[in-house]
């Protein structure tokens, strides 16, 4: 008996092909059961190898080749949803068909096979080239699909990261919202009134966030509310002491008078701070109210002169010892402009009042040697616009806060002397109501100049 060693090489090649096919098609993940079954592909080859001990035939290796090609074809059919597998199946089909025909012809008779030897050689070469070409195509498809898979994974990872960041941002927003809610609750009934004006107060160019607005309102209004609450509590105690004193048989008229006097003073303070809280509310309502007035021809010089005197005498009514030097230059060329006189007068009154306040504070700090001076200049520019300059030699504004002075509730005045709404309201009237500009130039300790420019 002769041993046919020609089957050993096909068996080894079959094992190598199975290994490569597993890697190429990712069979352990895509079809794990089919991948395990391929481990037995060597068994038919071994059976044919054992049979060659008893039967001498040159067709065993060709038969095993057809078997291996058939198994590979079945695997590709099972995984044809994978595009490279379909391409490989298309490339394998001519070579498998050629091998099957060659085996069948050899079974009929080798004479016939030799007669068409050139035809079979040509067919085999074509089938091999076809298989090689489609193998390259399948490899390129696999690379392309792998790239697409990696891109999808990156997109999924990016989406997951964005979702995580969004979740973190939502958590931070929720925490911030909870903080704002706690602050809002501290305003109690007064805040309920202020909520009706919030939509008008929230201006994106004036406020950094809703939290800054709410904190500003709470800070401004909490002080007078605290005073009202505290003096109310003290007054209740005084009333109780007075009642107890009146019930004693040996009443002390002096003590009763003292208690009544203290109670009167407390009520005056309650009234004062109540008016303070009410003024803040009125200021907010005024700030939020949009002007419905129509533009009319307005003599700017007369308007400036009128409100300049009004501001000066208003401050003198509060402090009769205060005096200031007023310098004016009203350019006759300014004439009349189209404006809402009432709104523009509100702007001028605010600027003049701030100027007199600044020079008064500097005079209090430096003493009698300082001469408070406020200058007002109007002129028509070369571009046809009109310009109003209000200059003082007061305390000045620090550079780091000059960008904030037009924000609602921002003020450099001590608590109780300003709500921080005047300049914000003036900014809206000039820029939004009259399409103009308002600028500030200031040097701390030397003075401030506001420049209002309006279309002519």
């Amino acid at each position: 008996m002769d041993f046919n060693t020609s089957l050993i090489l096909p068996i080894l090649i079959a094992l190598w092909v199975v290994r490569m096919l597993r890697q190429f098609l990712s069979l352990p993940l895509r079809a794990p059961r089919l991948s395990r079954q391929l481990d037995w592909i060597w068994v038919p080859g071994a059976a044919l190898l054992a049979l060659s001990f008893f039967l001498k035939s040159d067709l065993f290796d060709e038969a095993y080749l057809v078997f291996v090609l058939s198994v590979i074809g079945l695997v590709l059919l099972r995984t044809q949803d994978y595009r490279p597998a379909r391409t490989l199946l298309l490339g394998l089909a001519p070579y498998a068909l050629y091998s099957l025909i060659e085996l069948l012809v050899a079974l009929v008779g080798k004479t016939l096979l030799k007669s068409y030897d050139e035809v079979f050689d040509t067919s085999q070469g074509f089938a091999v080239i076809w298989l090689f070409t489609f193998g390259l195509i399948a490899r390129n498809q696999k690379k392309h699909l792998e790239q697409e898979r990696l891109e999808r994974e990156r997109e999924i990872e990016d989406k997951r990261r964005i979702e995580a960041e969004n979740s973190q941002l939502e958590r931070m927003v929720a925490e911030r919202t909870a903080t704002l809610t706690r602050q809002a609750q501290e305003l109690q009934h007064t805040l309920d009134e202020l909520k009706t004006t919030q939509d008008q107060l929230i201006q994106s160019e004036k406020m950094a966030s809703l939290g800054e607005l709410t904190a500003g309102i709470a800070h401004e209004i909490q002080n007078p509310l605290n005073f009202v609450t505290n003096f109310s509590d003290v007054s209740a105690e005084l009333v109780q002491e007075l009642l107890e004193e009146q019930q004693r048989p040996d009443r002390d008229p002096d003590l009763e008078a003292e208690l009544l006097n203290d109670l009167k003073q407390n009520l005056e303070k309650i009234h004062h701070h109540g008016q303070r809280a009410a003024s803040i509310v009125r200021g907010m309502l005024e700030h939020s109210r949009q002007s419905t007035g129509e533009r009319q021809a307005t003599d700017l010089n007369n308007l400036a002169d009128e409100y300049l005197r009004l501001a000066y005498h208003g401050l003198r009514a509060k402090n009769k010892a205060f005096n200031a030097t007023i310098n004016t230059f009203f350019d006759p060329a300014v004439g009349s402009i189209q404006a809402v006189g009432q709104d523009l007068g509100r702007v001028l009154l605010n600027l003049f009042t701030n100027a007199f306040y600044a020079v008064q504070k500097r005079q209090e700090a430096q003493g009698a040697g300082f001469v408070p001076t406020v200058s007002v200049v109007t002129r028509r520019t070369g571009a046809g616009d009109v310009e109003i300059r209000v200059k003082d030699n007061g305390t000045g504004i620090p550079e780091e806060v000059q960008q904030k002075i037009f924000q609602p509730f921002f003020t450099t005045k001590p608590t109780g002397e300003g709500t921080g709404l005047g300049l914000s309201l003036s900014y809206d009237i000039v820029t939004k109501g009259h399409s103009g500009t308002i600028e500030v130039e200031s040097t701390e300790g030397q003075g401030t100049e506001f420049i209002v420019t309006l279309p002519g």
Side-chain angles (χ1 to χ4, degrees):
M1 291 185 296
D2 295 330
F3 181 64
N4 187 2
T5 59
S6 62
L7 275 169
I8 296 177
L9 182 59
I11 292 174
L12 295 176
I13 293 176
L15 292 174
W16 178 79
V17 169
V18 166
R19 180 182 177 186
M20 298 300 294
L21 193 65
R22 280 174 172 164
Q23 289 181 338
F24 187 79
L25 298 178
S26 302
L27 286 179
L29 296 176
R30 199 178 301 276
R33 183 178 178 183
L34 184 60
S35 178
R36 290 192 298 269
Q37 291 174 348
L38 288 177
D39 291 336
W40 303 96
I41 197 169
W42 59 273
V43 173
L48 291 174
L49 184 62
L51 189 61
S52 68
F53 278 100
F54 306 98
L55 298 176
K56 184 177 181 181
S57 176
D58 297 333
L59 300 179
F60 286 159
D61 53 346
E62 295 181 6
Y64 183 63
L65 175 61
V66 172
F67 168 75
V68 172
L69 291 175
S70 300
V71 171
I72 294 175
L74 290 174
V75 171
L76 294 176
L77 280 173
R78 289 282 300 276
T79 58
Q80 62 178 326
D81 57 327
Y82 187 47
R83 188 168 59 183
R86 295 197 300 270
T87 303
L88 277 180
L89 183 61
L90 184 62
L92 183 66
Y95 190 78
L97 181 62
Y98 160 78
S99 300
L100 179 60
I101 293 174
E102 185 181 30
L103 177 61
L104 294 175
V105 172
L107 290 174
V108 173
K110 292 188 176 181
T111 304
L112 181 61
L113 184 63
K114 291 181 179 180
S115 300
Y116 293 96
D117 186 58
E118 292 183 1
V119 175
F120 278 98
D121 288 343
T122 302
S123 300
Q124 184 183 31
F126 170 78
V128 170
I129 294 174
W130 182 273
L131 176 60
F132 180 76
T133 301
F134 276 81
L136 293 178
I137 294 174
R139 188 183 67 172
N140 290 334
Q141 288 177 342
K142 179 178 174 64
K143 289 181 178 179
H144 182 69
L145 290 175
E146 183 67 18
Q147 290 177 353
E148 290 181 348
R149 183 185 66 81
L150 293 176
E151 288 179 0
R152 286 196 300 271
E153 289 180 354
R154 283 195 296 267
E155 290 176 357
I156 293 173
E157 181 63 25
D158 291 342
K159 183 178 179 181
R160 187 181 298 110
R161 178 176 54 81
I162 291 173
E163 289 177 350
E165 292 178 353
N166 288 340
S167 177
Q168 176 71 8
L169 289 175
E170 289 176 358
R171 184 185 64 80
M172 294 174 63
V173 170
E175 292 177 355
R176 182 60 175 165
T177 302
T179 302
L180 294 179
T181 302
R182 288 193 298 270
Q183 294 175 345
Q185 290 174 346
E186 295 176 0
L187 299 179
Q188 301 174 355
H189 300 294
T190 306
L191 185 59
D192 292 338
E193 298 178 18
L194 301 182
K195 285 180 179 179
T196 59
T197 64
Q198 282 184 350
D199 290 340
Q200 291 77 24
L201 287 174
I202 300 173
Q203 302 285 343
S204 59
E205 67 274 14
K206 298 186 297 182
M207 300 298 292
S209 67
L210 179 61
E212 187 176 350
L213 173 62
T214 306
I217 298 172
H219 176 75
E220 286 297 325
I221 206 167
Q222 194 60 50
N223 287 332
L225 289 180
N226 286 339
F227 278 115
V228 170
T229 302
N230 293 337
F231 283 118
S232 297
D233 292 340
V234 173
S235 297
E237 294 176 0
L238 291 176
V239 170
Q240 183 62 33
E241 291 182 15
L242 182 60
L243 291 174
E244 293 175 356
E245 182 65 25
Q246 288 178 343
Q247 293 175 359
R248 291 181 181 180
D250 53 342
R251 294 168 54 179
D252 186 350
D254 293 336
L255 178 59
E256 291 180 3
E258 182 180 353
L259 291 174
L260 288 173
N261 184 58
D262 291 342
L263 184 60
K264 178 182 177 182
Q265 292 179 359
N266 286 352
L267 291 175
E268 291 175 352
K269 292 177 180 178
I270 290 173
H271 176 75
H272 170 74
H273 291 292
Q275 290 296 321
R276 169 64 183 157
S279 69
I280 294 174
V281 175
R282 286 195 302 271
M284 288 186 62
L285 293 173
E286 183 180 16
H287 183 75
S288 64
R289 186 176 65 246
Q290 296 181 354
S291 174
T292 58
E294 297 181 357
R295 294 191 184 187
Q296 298 177 350
T298 302
D299 189 323
L300 189 61
N301 289 338
N302 288 340
L303 190 70
D305 184 65
E306 175 184 352
Y307 279 97
L308 177 63
R309 306 304 168 188
L310 179 63
Y312 180 63
H313 291 298
L315 185 60
R316 288 264 301 159
K318 297 179 182 179
N319 183 5
K320 298 187 180 299
F322 173 74
N323 288 288
T325 299
I326 300 176
N327 297 324
T328 60
F329 175 77
F330 298 136
D331 185 359
V334 170
S336 297
I337 63 171
Q338 293 296 318
V340 183
Q342 181 179 2
D343 291 349
L344 198 55
R346 187 182 304 169
V347 174
L348 295 174
L349 182 61
N350 183 264
L351 296 180
F352 298 152
T353 301
N354 287 346
F356 287 124
Y357 177 86
V359 297
Q360 180 189 25
K361 289 301 178 183
R362 186 175 177 183
Q363 184 184 45
E364 292 176 356
Q366 293 189 3
F370 172 73
V371 179
T373 304
V374 174
S375 301
V376 180
V377 176
T378 63
R379 71 185 186 93
R380 185 171 291 275
T381 65
D385 297 333
V386 295
E387 192 176 79
I388 309 168
R389 290 179 174 264
V390 180
K391 185 176 182 180
D392 65 71
N393 63 343
T395 55
I397 304 172
E399 183 177 356
E400 62 271 14
V401 301
Q402 289 183 24
Q403 301 300 323
K404 303 178 183 179
I405 60 174
F406 296 117
Q407 296 179 1
F409 297 107
F410 181 85
T411 178
T412 57
K413 297 178 181 179
T415 302
E417 295 189 15
T419 63
L421 290 171
L423 286 177
S424 174
L425 180 62
S426 299
Y427 181 87
D428 284 348
I429 292 174
V430 172
T431 60
K432 300 182 185 304
H434 292 80
S435 303
T437 62
I438 181 169
E439 301 174 353
V440 59
E441 297 177 358
S442 182
T443 302
E444 187 174 6
Q446 296 184 16
T448 301
E449 183 175 22
F450 282 91
I451 306 165
V452 178
T453 304
L454 299 171

PDB file of all heavy atoms in Angstrom, residues 317-335:
ATOM      1  N   ALA A 317     -32.175 122.470  48.337  1.00  0.00           N
ATOM      2  CA  ALA A 317     -33.289 122.337  49.269  1.00  0.00           C
ATOM      3  C   ALA A 317     -32.961 121.331  50.359  1.00  0.00           C
ATOM      4  O   ALA A 317     -33.432 121.455  51.491  1.00  0.00           O
ATOM      5  CB  ALA A 317     -34.544 121.901  48.512  1.00  0.00           C
ATOM      6  N   LYS A 318     -32.147 120.331  50.058  1.00  0.00           N
ATOM      7  CA  LYS A 318     -31.756 119.336  51.053  1.00  0.00           C
ATOM      8  C   LYS A 318     -30.574 119.828  51.894  1.00  0.00           C
ATOM      9  O   LYS A 318     -30.455 119.494  53.071  1.00  0.00           O
ATOM     10  CB  LYS A 318     -31.387 118.027  50.354  1.00  0.00           C
ATOM     11  CG  LYS A 318     -32.533 117.385  49.611  1.00  0.00           C
ATOM     12  CD  LYS A 318     -32.060 116.097  48.912  1.00  0.00           C
ATOM     13  CE  LYS A 318     -33.193 115.469  48.122  1.00  0.00           C
ATOM     14  NZ  LYS A 318     -32.761 114.233  47.416  1.00  0.00           N
ATOM     15  N   ASN A 319     -29.686 120.597  51.275  1.00  0.00           N
ATOM     16  CA  ASN A 319     -28.488 121.067  51.974  1.00  0.00           C
ATOM     17  C   ASN A 319     -28.284 122.543  51.634  1.00  0.00           C
ATOM     18  O   ASN A 319     -27.669 122.879  50.619  1.00  0.00           O
ATOM     19  CB  ASN A 319     -27.275 120.234  51.544  1.00  0.00           C
ATOM     20  CG  ASN A 319     -26.014 120.626  52.298  1.00  0.00           C
ATOM     21  OD1 ASN A 319     -26.045 121.462  53.205  1.00  0.00           O
ATOM     22  ND2 ASN A 319     -24.888 120.031  51.913  1.00  0.00           N
ATOM     23  N   LYS A 320     -28.800 123.411  52.459  1.00  0.00           N
ATOM     24  CA  LYS A 320     -28.752 124.840  52.169  1.00  0.00           C
ATOM     25  C   LYS A 320     -27.342 125.394  52.233  1.00  0.00           C
ATOM     26  O   LYS A 320     -27.067 126.473  51.696  1.00  0.00           O
ATOM     27  CB  LYS A 320     -29.658 125.602  53.146  1.00  0.00           C
ATOM     28  CG  LYS A 320     -31.119 125.213  53.038  1.00  0.00           C
ATOM     29  CD  LYS A 320     -31.986 126.105  53.891  1.00  0.00           C
ATOM     30  CE  LYS A 320     -33.453 125.722  53.792  1.00  0.00           C
ATOM     31  NZ  LYS A 320     -33.966 125.843  52.423  1.00  0.00           N
ATOM     32  N   ALA A 321     -26.419 124.679  52.874  1.00  0.00           N
ATOM     33  CA  ALA A 321     -25.038 125.159  52.964  1.00  0.00           C
ATOM     34  C   ALA A 321     -24.253 124.884  51.693  1.00  0.00           C
ATOM     35  O   ALA A 321     -23.141 125.396  51.524  1.00  0.00           O
ATOM     36  CB  ALA A 321     -24.342 124.494  54.158  1.00  0.00           C
ATOM     37  N   PHE A 322     -24.832 124.085  50.805  1.00  0.00           N
ATOM     38  CA  PHE A 322     -24.099 123.710  49.590  1.00  0.00           C
ATOM     39  C   PHE A 322     -24.211 124.803  48.539  1.00  0.00           C
ATOM     40  O   PHE A 322     -25.272 125.346  48.275  1.00  0.00           O
ATOM     41  CB  PHE A 322     -24.649 122.395  49.035  1.00  0.00           C
ATOM     42  CG  PHE A 322     -24.069 122.027  47.701  1.00  0.00           C
ATOM     43  CD1 PHE A 322     -22.757 121.556  47.598  1.00  0.00           C
ATOM     44  CD2 PHE A 322     -24.816 122.167  46.540  1.00  0.00           C
ATOM     45  CE1 PHE A 322     -22.226 121.230  46.367  1.00  0.00           C
ATOM     46  CE2 PHE A 322     -24.287 121.829  45.304  1.00  0.00           C
ATOM     47  CZ  PHE A 322     -22.981 121.355  45.214  1.00  0.00           C
ATOM     48  N   ASN A 323     -23.064 125.141  47.919  1.00  0.00           N
ATOM     49  CA  ASN A 323     -23.007 126.080  46.800  1.00  0.00           C
ATOM     50  C   ASN A 323     -22.029 125.537  45.775  1.00  0.00           C
ATOM     51  O   ASN A 323     -21.021 124.894  46.119  1.00  0.00           O
ATOM     52  CB  ASN A 323     -22.551 127.474  47.250  1.00  0.00           C
ATOM     53  CG  ASN A 323     -23.618 128.190  48.051  1.00  0.00           C
ATOM     54  OD1 ASN A 323     -24.629 128.628  47.512  1.00  0.00           O
ATOM     55  ND2 ASN A 323     -23.397 128.289  49.358  1.00  0.00           N
ATOM     56  N   ALA A 324     -22.327 125.787  44.515  1.00  0.00           N
ATOM     57  CA  ALA A 324     -21.445 125.301  43.449  1.00  0.00           C
ATOM     58  C   ALA A 324     -21.374 126.338  42.340  1.00  0.00           C
ATOM     59  O   ALA A 324     -22.310 127.129  42.131  1.00  0.00           O
ATOM     60  CB  ALA A 324     -21.953 123.971  42.902  1.00  0.00           C
ATOM     61  N   THR A 325     -20.251 126.321  41.631  1.00  0.00           N
ATOM     62  CA  THR A 325     -20.077 127.184  40.459  1.00  0.00           C
ATOM     63  C   THR A 325     -20.607 126.436  39.234  1.00  0.00           C
ATOM     64  O   THR A 325     -20.250 125.283  38.987  1.00  0.00           O
ATOM     65  CB  THR A 325     -18.598 127.518  40.263  1.00  0.00           C
ATOM     66  OG1 THR A 325     -18.122 128.218  41.419  1.00  0.00           O
ATOM     67  CG2 THR A 325     -18.408 128.371  39.022  1.00  0.00           C
ATOM     68  N   ILE A 326     -21.478 127.114  38.491  1.00  0.00           N
ATOM     69  CA  ILE A 326     -22.074 126.488  37.307  1.00  0.00           C
ATOM     70  C   ILE A 326     -21.592 127.225  36.072  1.00  0.00           C
ATOM     71  O   ILE A 326     -21.789 128.446  35.941  1.00  0.00           O
ATOM     72  CB  ILE A 326     -23.612 126.527  37.376  1.00  0.00           C
ATOM     73  CG1 ILE A 326     -24.110 125.765  38.621  1.00  0.00           C
ATOM     74  CG2 ILE A 326     -24.214 125.928  36.119  1.00  0.00           C
ATOM     75  CD1 ILE A 326     -25.611 125.838  38.805  1.00  0.00           C
ATOM     76  N   ASN A 327     -20.944 126.502  35.152  1.00  0.00           N
ATOM     77  CA  ASN A 327     -20.469 127.071  33.887  1.00  0.00           C
ATOM     78  C   ASN A 327     -21.271 126.449  32.753  1.00  0.00           C
ATOM     79  O   ASN A 327     -21.391 125.224  32.665  1.00  0.00           O
ATOM     80  CB  ASN A 327     -18.986 126.776  33.671  1.00  0.00           C
ATOM     81  CG  ASN A 327     -18.117 127.424  34.741  1.00  0.00           C
ATOM     82  OD1 ASN A 327     -18.417 128.532  35.206  1.00  0.00           O
ATOM     83  ND2 ASN A 327     -17.049 126.744  35.157  1.00  0.00           N
ATOM     84  N   THR A 328     -21.833 127.290  31.904  1.00  0.00           N
ATOM     85  CA  THR A 328     -22.629 126.785  30.785  1.00  0.00           C
ATOM     86  C   THR A 328     -22.193 127.436  29.490  1.00  0.00           C
ATOM     87  O   THR A 328     -21.795 128.606  29.459  1.00  0.00           O
ATOM     88  CB  THR A 328     -24.128 127.058  30.997  1.00  0.00           C
ATOM     89  OG1 THR A 328     -24.335 128.473  31.111  1.00  0.00           O
ATOM     90  CG2 THR A 328     -24.636 126.360  32.252  1.00  0.00           C
ATOM     91  N   PHE A 329     -22.270 126.649  28.421  1.00  0.00           N
ATOM     92  CA  PHE A 329     -22.094 127.190  27.074  1.00  0.00           C
ATOM     93  C   PHE A 329     -23.087 126.457  26.183  1.00  0.00           C
ATOM     94  O   PHE A 329     -22.914 125.284  25.856  1.00  0.00           O
ATOM     95  CB  PHE A 329     -20.673 126.996  26.550  1.00  0.00           C
ATOM     96  CG  PHE A 329     -20.523 127.450  25.121  1.00  0.00           C
ATOM     97  CD1 PHE A 329     -20.423 128.804  24.809  1.00  0.00           C
ATOM     98  CD2 PHE A 329     -20.520 126.522  24.079  1.00  0.00           C
ATOM     99  CE1 PHE A 329     -20.317 129.219  23.491  1.00  0.00           C
ATOM    100  CE2 PHE A 329     -20.406 126.940  22.767  1.00  0.00           C
ATOM    101  CZ  PHE A 329     -20.307 128.289  22.457  1.00  0.00           C
ATOM    102  N   PHE A 330     -24.159 127.160  25.822  1.00  0.00           N
ATOM    103  CA  PHE A 330     -25.192 126.582  24.987  1.00  0.00           C
ATOM    104  C   PHE A 330     -25.027 127.107  23.560  1.00  0.00           C
ATOM    105  O   PHE A 330     -25.262 128.302  23.298  1.00  0.00           O
ATOM    106  CB  PHE A 330     -26.579 126.926  25.528  1.00  0.00           C
ATOM    107  CG  PHE A 330     -26.826 126.377  26.913  1.00  0.00           C
ATOM    108  CD1 PHE A 330     -27.423 127.153  27.900  1.00  0.00           C
ATOM    109  CD2 PHE A 330     -26.462 125.067  27.219  1.00  0.00           C
ATOM    110  CE1 PHE A 330     -27.657 126.639  29.172  1.00  0.00           C
ATOM    111  CE2 PHE A 330     -26.704 124.548  28.484  1.00  0.00           C
ATOM    112  CZ  PHE A 330     -27.291 125.334  29.466  1.00  0.00           C
ATOM    113  N   ASP A 331     -24.625 126.256  22.660  1.00  0.00           N
ATOM    114  CA  ASP A 331     -24.374 126.630  21.268  1.00  0.00           C
ATOM    115  C   ASP A 331     -25.703 126.964  20.592  1.00  0.00           C
ATOM    116  O   ASP A 331     -26.584 126.100  20.500  1.00  0.00           O
ATOM    117  CB  ASP A 331     -23.689 125.468  20.551  1.00  0.00           C
ATOM    118  CG  ASP A 331     -23.284 125.840  19.126  1.00  0.00           C
ATOM    119  OD1 ASP A 331     -23.553 126.979  18.706  1.00  0.00           O
ATOM    120  OD2 ASP A 331     -22.707 124.963  18.436  1.00  0.00           O
ATOM    121  N   PRO A 332     -25.868 128.208  20.104  1.00  0.00           N
ATOM    122  CA  PRO A 332     -27.134 128.568  19.424  1.00  0.00           C
ATOM    123  C   PRO A 332     -27.387 127.710  18.188  1.00  0.00           C
ATOM    124  O   PRO A 332     -28.537 127.547  17.772  1.00  0.00           O
ATOM    125  CB  PRO A 332     -26.928 130.041  19.052  1.00  0.00           C
ATOM    126  CG  PRO A 332     -25.858 130.535  19.981  1.00  0.00           C
ATOM    127  CD  PRO A 332     -24.948 129.357  20.220  1.00  0.00           C
ATOM    128  N   ALA A 333     -26.324 127.150  17.605  1.00  0.00           N
ATOM    129  CA  ALA A 333     -26.495 126.352  16.390  1.00  0.00           C
ATOM    130  C   ALA A 333     -27.201 125.037  16.666  1.00  0.00           C
ATOM    131  O   ALA A 333     -27.657 124.359  15.741  1.00  0.00           O
ATOM    132  CB  ALA A 333     -25.134 126.071  15.751  1.00  0.00           C
ATOM    133  N   VAL A 334     -27.301 124.644  17.938  1.00  0.00           N
ATOM    134  CA  VAL A 334     -27.982 123.377  18.262  1.00  0.00           C
ATOM    135  C   VAL A 334     -29.452 123.468  17.886  1.00  0.00           C
ATOM    136  O   VAL A 334     -30.015 122.556  17.277  1.00  0.00           O
ATOM    137  CB  VAL A 334     -27.812 123.053  19.766  1.00  0.00           C
ATOM    138  CG1 VAL A 334     -28.709 121.901  20.160  1.00  0.00           C
ATOM    139  CG2 VAL A 334     -26.360 122.735  20.067  1.00  0.00           C
ATOM    140  N   GLY A 335     -30.096 124.567  18.260  1.00  0.00           N
ATOM    141  CA  GLY A 335     -31.495 124.766  17.903  1.00  0.00           C
ATOM    142  C   GLY A 335     -32.399 123.690  18.462  1.00  0.00           C
ATOM    143  O   GLY A 335     -32.226 123.219  19.579  1.00  0.00           O
TER     144      GLY A 335
END
